[in-house]
Amino acid sequence: MTSSFNVHHAAGYEQLMGRWSQKLAPLFIDFAGLADGEKILDVGCGTGSLTFALVKAADLREVAAIDFSAVFVEEAIRRNADPRIKIRQADACALPFEDGAFDRALALLVLHFVPEAGKAVAEMRRVVRPGGVVAATVWDHLGGMPGMRMMIDTVAVLGESGRQLRARYCTQPMMQPGEMQRTFVEQGLRDVTETQLMIRMDYQNFDDYWAPIAAGEGPLGKYVATLDPEERARTDAAMRDAYEAGRSDGPRSFANVAWACRGVVA
C-alpha cells in the first residue's frame, strides 16, 4: 500500500495536524464507543493522538497501534510509556493480525489517505470479533475545512498546478457525504451510522498556520516544495494576504468538520 500523506519531521506534523487530531480524538472515541477491558486496534496511529487518548478514556486491556510511516512509528514509540500499548509499522490494507483479534478497530484521519480505502475497511472488519465495532473519521476536504481550502483555492487561482492540487485534494477517498457509509455496508458491516464531528483550528498568527506547510509537511507542503523560487514567493505573498484578509496579522479560528462512520461486525 502507498499513502498520499507525506511527513518529514514529527514536530512539523504536530504543528500541521497533530494538535488538531488530538482535539478530534475524544469526540471520535465518544462516537465509536469504548469499554473497560477491551482490546483495541488503532489503524494509522500517526504520532499517537488517538492511541494515547484511548488509554485515558477507558481501562483497556491492550491497544495495538500501526502506521505506514516509519517517522510516525518512531515518534509514537518514543512517546509511549504505557505497557498496554504496542506500536509497530504495518500496512492498513494488510493488517498483521489474526481474524477476530480485537474488540474494536478505529482509524482517525487515515482512510482518505489510503488509495484502496475499501480494502483497509475490509481488513479492519476482518480483525474485529463478531459483535465488535469498526469506526473511522476523515476530514471533509471539499466542504468542511475552510482553513485548508483557503490555501488550495488561492494556489488554484495562481496556476494550473494549483488547480490540479485542488482537484486531487477535494476528491480523496471517503470524503463525500455517504461515501464512508456505503463502503462500510459494502464491506459487510451492519448497523452502519455516519455523522459529522466538528472542532476549531485556532492559529496564533500567519506563521503558526503557514510554517509547517512552507516546510513541506503534508500533501499541501509537498506541493509547495515543488515550486520554483518565483512561484514560491508569489504563493507565500498570496497566502499571507488570504490569511490576513485585509486585517493585521494575528489570531484566526476556523471551524473544521470531519465525517465519522461506525459499523458492527456480523
Side-chain angles (χ1 to χ4, degrees):
M1 182 204 77
T2 59
S3 170
S4 61
F5 193 95
N6 65 293
V7 59
H8 299 294
H9 303 289
Y13 169 78
E14 286 301 299
Q15 187 177 1
L16 175 69
M17 191 54 62
R19 53 181 166 167
W20 313 127
S21 60
Q22 289 172 28
K23 291 181 68 173
L24 184 63
L27 302 181
F28 178 50
I29 290 171
D30 287 346
F31 171 73
L34 205 59
D36 292 349
E38 289 188 330
K39 184 178 179 181
I40 309 297
L41 174 62
D42 180 0
V43 177
C45 64
T47 54
S49 295
L50 177 61
T51 306
F52 301 129
L54 285 166
V55 294
K56 293 178 181 178
D59 184 14
L60 300 177
R61 176 162 53 99
E62 181 181 329
V63 175
I66 67 102
D67 203 282
F68 189 70
S69 165
V71 174
F72 284 151
V73 170
E74 180 181 355
E75 178 64 12
I77 290 174
R78 186 189 70 79
R79 295 180 178 190
N80 182 36
D82 192 319
R84 295 173 295 171
I85 298 174
K86 313 295 182 184
I87 304 165
R88 63 191 289 188
Q89 187 173 13
D91 185 342
C93 292
L95 295 171
F97 304 106
E98 296 181 356
D99 295 0
F102 298 94
D103 296 295
R104 300 175 200 262
L106 311 181
L108 175 76
L109 305 178
V110 175
L111 292 184
H112 48 330
F113 295 114
V114 179
E116 296 181 280
K119 189 173 182 180
V121 174
E123 276 291 275
M124 292 170 71
R125 177 187 55 78
R126 179 185 66 78
V127 302
V128 171
R129 63 167 175 80
V133 170
V134 172
T137 185
V138 303
W139 291 125
D140 179 2
H141 281 185
L142 180 64
M145 294 194 79
M148 299 299 110
R149 278 300 301 265
M150 179 174 67
M151 180 203 162
I152 61 172
D153 289 338
T154 297
V155 299
V157 172
L158 296 179
E160 178 58 29
S161 63
R163 287 188 286 275
Q164 292 176 10
L165 171 68
R166 182 173 60 185
R168 293 192 303 271
Y169 190 78
C170 291
T171 57
Q172 288 176 266
M174 304 290 103
M175 296 190 310
Q176 301 303 308
E179 185 179 2
M180 243 195 319
Q181 186 173 27
R182 288 191 298 273
T183 300
F184 273 43
V185 171
E186 289 167 358
Q187 297 304 329
L189 293 160
R190 60 179 176 82
D191 300 331
V192 176
T193 301
E194 186 177 82
T195 191
Q196 299 173 52
L197 306 175
M198 193 276 283
I199 66 164
R200 296 198 74 90
M201 295 183 179
D202 299 304
Y203 299 96
Q204 297 176 14
N205 50 41
F206 175 66
D207 186 62
D208 189 30
Y209 167 85
W210 187 239
I213 299 173
E217 296 293 348
L220 302 184
K222 184 177 181 179
Y223 166 80
V224 169
T226 67
L227 302 176
D228 63 37
E230 182 178 346
E231 292 172 323
R232 176 60 184 273
R234 187 166 66 250
T235 298
D236 287 349
M239 284 310 307
R240 177 176 287 278
D241 183 63
Y243 179 89
E244 293 180 353
R247 300 164 55 199
S248 60
D249 191 13
R252 301 290 189 273
S253 181
F254 301 97
N256 289 265
V257 174
W259 293 109
C261 193
R262 177 186 65 221
V264 177
V265 176

